[in-house]
């Protein structure tokens, strides 16, 4: 399997740091906020953050980051690279993302995607960055489209469902991607959006 470096990625709104136990206290606070937007997403509770971090870090093929607010210096969520393919790296996905309710709509998610895309394409030389979500998750689908990724379709019974009460079930997954030929246009689009974010 491709072994990936995991540098800290710096932005104006967010700093992406390799996820570790040092983020547990902040993430427990973040996870304790309103959970209304987490119907389809793997998000720990305040009581399960330590186990969640350990599982994320140990999971083969997952490169998790804490999303640290530049404004407060506190971890407010998690995101990750996952499923690297090719040797050298040709394609990778971005996902396993969640943010505290208070950090949603702040520019953090937008900039985190920009930083992850940029490092994948310009740091690792990837040719494709994929994203997927539960096909029922309209909010997530809109957010993914909003970072410039193209919708590719829905694959039925494609991956594990993270919805409460659906343990052991598969979900229909909506797939999106940015490919290397699209990256210059996507990068300009994201940089423009970020320049207008306050």
């Amino acid at each position: 399997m491709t072994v990936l470096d995991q540098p800290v990625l710096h932005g104006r709104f967010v700093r992406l740091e390799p996820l570790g136990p040092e983020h547990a206290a902040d993430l427990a606070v973040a996870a304790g906020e309103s959970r209304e937007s987490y119907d389809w997403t793997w998000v720990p509770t305040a009581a399960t953050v330590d186990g969640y971090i350990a599982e994320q870090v140990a999971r083969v093929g997952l490169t998790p980051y804490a999303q640290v607010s530049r404004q407060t210096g506190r971890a407010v969520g998690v995101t990750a690279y996952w499923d690297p393919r090719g040797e050298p790296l040709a394609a990778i996905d971005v996902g396993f993302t969640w943010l505290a309710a208070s950090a949603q709509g702040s520019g953090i998610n937008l900039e985190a995607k920009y930083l992850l895309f940029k490092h994948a394409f310009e740091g690792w030389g990837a040719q494709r960055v994929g994203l997927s979500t539960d096909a029922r998750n309209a909010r997530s689908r809109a957010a993914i489209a909003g970072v410039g990724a193209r919708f590719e379709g829905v694959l039925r019974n494609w991956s594990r469902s993270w919805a409460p009460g659906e343990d052991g079930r598969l979900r229909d997954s909506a797939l999106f991607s940015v490919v290397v030929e699209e990256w210059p246009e996507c990068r300009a689009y994201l940089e423009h959006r970020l320049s207008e974010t306050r």
Side-chain angles (χ1 to χ4, degrees), residues 9-21:
L9 302 176
H10 298 271
R12 183 162 58 104
F13 302 107
V14 66
R15 182 174 64 254
L16 298 180
E17 299 178 355
L19 181 66

Side-chain angles (χ1 to χ4, degrees), residues 18 21 27 35 38 42-43 49 53-54 79 94 105 114 118-120 188 192 197:
L27 291 176
R35 300 179 66 86
Y38 300 155
W42 180 21
V43 181
V49 162
I53 291 173
T79 192
V94 168
Y114 169 76
K118 183 178 180 184
H119 186 65
H192 175 71
T197 303

Side-chain angles (χ1 to χ4, degrees), residues 16-39:
L16 298 180
E17 299 178 355
L19 181 66
E22 66 273 18
H23 300 112
D26 286 350
L27 291 176
V29 172
E33 295 184 15
S34 170
R35 300 179 66 86
E36 290 181 3
S37 65
Y38 300 155
D39 287 345

Side-chain angles (χ1 to χ4, degrees), residues 6-197:
Q6 193 177 8
V8 175
L9 302 176
H10 298 271
R12 183 162 58 104
F13 302 107
V14 66
R15 182 174 64 254
L16 298 180
E17 299 178 355
L19 181 66
E22 66 273 18
H23 300 112
D26 286 350
L27 291 176
V29 172
E33 295 184 15
S34 170
R35 300 179 66 86
E36 290 181 3
S37 65
Y38 300 155
D39 287 345
W40 316 106
T41 308
W42 180 21
V43 181
T45 63
T48 62
V49 162
D50 289 336
Y52 166 86
I53 291 173
E55 186 174 349
Q56 288 265 309
V57 171
R59 184 173 284 242
V60 174
L62 192 70
T63 306
Y65 279 95
Q67 301 189 80
V68 177
S69 166
R70 295 296 298 268
Q71 182 178 17
T72 66
R74 297 178 66 90
V76 292
V78 172
T79 192
Y81 289 115
W82 64 285
D83 194 20
R85 302 177 301 282
E87 194 75 54
L89 182 73
I92 197 164
D93 288 358
V94 168
F96 292 88
T97 300
W98 64 273
L99 276 175
S102 61
Q104 295 173 18
S106 66
I108 287 176
N109 179 63
L110 183 71
E111 188 171 59
K113 294 297 189 295
Y114 169 76
L115 293 171
L116 292 168
F117 290 177
K118 183 178 180 184
H119 186 65
F121 287 119
E122 300 178 18
W124 291 331
Q127 299 171 45
R128 171 193 167 92
V129 175
L131 306 95
S132 63
T133 189
D134 193 304
R136 299 168 291 183
N137 190 344
R139 180 188 180 111
S140 179
R141 289 176 68 159
I144 293 171
V147 299
R150 294 194 185 183
F151 176 60
E152 295 181 324
V154 173
L155 296 181
R156 298 177 299 162
N157 285 354
W158 179 248
S159 60
R160 174 182 174 176
S161 174
W162 298 103
E166 294 188 356
D167 289 350
R169 290 184 54 188
L170 295 176
R171 74 179 193 190
D172 294 350
S173 291
L175 272 61
F176 297 77
S177 71
V178 179
V179 297
V180 66
E181 294 83 4
E182 297 162 352
W183 171 235
E185 181 179 354
C186 180
R187 175 176 175 165
Y189 166 74
L190 289 170
E191 289 175 348
H192 175 71
R193 284 195 61 193
L194 286 166
S195 73
E196 294 188 328
T197 303

